[in-house]
Amino acid sequence: MNEEALLTELIAMLPSPTYIVISIVFGVIGLMCFQAGRKVNKPRLKWGGLALMFYPYLIGNDTRLLILVGLALCALLYFWRKS
């Protein structure tokens, strides 16, 4: 395999800029939920925030799946915030 083909394959494996930005946005939301849950001693909010921060590491390069799981976790945290 020549170097050009190898470089092309390596670049194709990188996540898109959209994926990176969305990961950062959900990570910041997760950090805010984690801090709020720790401050008011709500374990569900705290652990949900941690899940929101670290779930992008478990998802491949699929941006649509990243958005769907992130929105589902945000909705779950929204309903858990009062309980």
Side-chain angles (χ1 to χ4, degrees):
M1 183 176 259
N2 61 13
E3 291 179 22
E4 221 174 278
L6 181 61
L7 183 62
T8 304
E9 280 189 40
L10 289 175
I11 289 174
M13 290 172 42
L14 291 174
S16 68
T18 306
Y19 182 91
I20 294 170
V21 169
I22 291 171
S23 295
I24 291 171
V25 168
F26 282 130
V28 169
I29 294 170
L31 179 64
M32 291 169 34
C33 289
F34 175 75
Q35 289 178 340
R38 203 173 66 178
K39 185 177 182 180
V40 295
N41 198 18
K42 290 189 177 182
R44 284 184 175 179
L45 192 59
K46 181 172 61 172
W47 290 107
L50 274 175
L52 197 56
M53 282 191 286
F54 291 112
Y55 86 93
Y57 295 108
L58 302 175
I59 295 178
N61 288 337
D62 190 6
T63 306
R64 288 172 288 161
L65 183 61
L66 178 78
I67 293 170
L68 287 175
V69 172
L71 290 176
L73 284 172
C74 285
L76 190 65
L77 287 173
Y78 178 77
F79 291 116
W80 276 353
R81 68 183 161 88
K82 297 235 176 178
S83 62

